[in-house]
Amino acid sequence: MNLMRQFLAIVFLGAVSAFSLSSYDCESIRKKAVLNTIDFQRYLGHWYELYHSTDFYFDRGCSCTTADYSLGSDGSIKVDNKCQRSNRTVEKIGRAKIVGNASLEVSFGLPFKAPYDIFYIADDYSLAGVISCTNVPLFGGLELWIL
C-alpha cells in the first residue's frame, strides 16, 4: 500500500472513531453510516485487515489478518478469515447472507449472527470501511474494520 493510501486510511479512521465516540449508540451509528449500495460481486475477493477496533477471541495475538469472500454454491458468501499467531496460520470460516444494499449477516458457528455493514468503499474497491453493531452479551458493541 502506498504512503498516500495509508495516510488517507488513518485520517478516515480517525474521523470515523471521533464520530463513533461522540454518539455511541450502535443502532444510530449503523443507520447513519451504512452505504446505499455496493456491488457485492466486486467486493468478493481477498482483503487485508489494516485496522480492527477490538481484540475479539479470534483476533487475539494475531498479525497479518486477511479475509477472503467468495460466493458459495448455495448463494451465501463464504468468509475465510486467516491470521498469523505464534508462527502458525489460524483460520476461521463463516457464512454470510446479503440482507441489504451494503449489509450482510455473518455467522461463525456461534448461536447468533452479527451484522456487517459497509460504510465506505473506494471507487476502485481497494479500501473498505466496515462496522458491526451488536447487543449480544459479552460480544456486544461497535466494531470497526478498515480493509
Side-chain angles (χ1 to χ4, degrees), residues 26-38:
C26 273
E27 249 349 273
S28 297
I29 293 169
R30 190 172 174 225
K31 286 177 185 172
K32 291 175 189 172
V34 71
L35 291 175
N36 288 331
T37 189
I38 69 156

Side-chain angles (χ1 to χ4, degrees), residues 76-77 95-100 103-106 113:
S76 67
I77 295 174
R95 290 275 174 209
K97 177 177 135 184
I98 298 172
V99 294
S103 298
L104 301 169
E105 275 184 346
V106 182
K113 295 176 181 161

Side-chain angles (χ1 to χ4, degrees), residues 24-118:
Y24 190 79
D25 170 11
C26 273
E27 249 349 273
S28 297
I29 293 169
R30 190 172 174 225
K31 286 177 185 172
K32 291 175 189 172
V34 71
L35 291 175
N36 288 331
T37 189
I38 69 156
D39 180 350
F40 278 106
Q41 286 290 55
R42 289 184 68 194
Y43 192 75
L44 298 176
H46 189 72
W47 290 88
Y48 295 93
E49 181 180 283
L50 303 176
Y51 174 82
H52 184 199
S53 64
T54 58
D55 197 17
F56 198 51
Y57 77 97
F58 171 76
D59 305 298
R60 217 163 273 135
C62 278
S63 62
C64 303
T65 302
T66 61
D68 285 284
Y69 301 94
S70 60
L71 195 57
S73 58
D74 61 356
S76 67
I77 295 174
K78 178 182 175 186
V79 181
D80 186 358
N81 289 341
K82 292 179 185 165
C83 72
Q84 297 298 310
R85 183 185 307 137
S86 302
N87 294 323
R88 67 183 185 95
T89 299
V90 178
E91 182 176 36
K92 186 73 173 169
I93 296 176
R95 290 275 174 209
K97 177 177 135 184
I98 298 172
V99 294
N101 293 334
S103 298
L104 301 169
E105 275 184 346
V106 182
S107 176
F108 285 96
L110 297 172
F112 63 89
K113 295 176 181 161
Y116 180 101
D117 299 304
I118 301 162

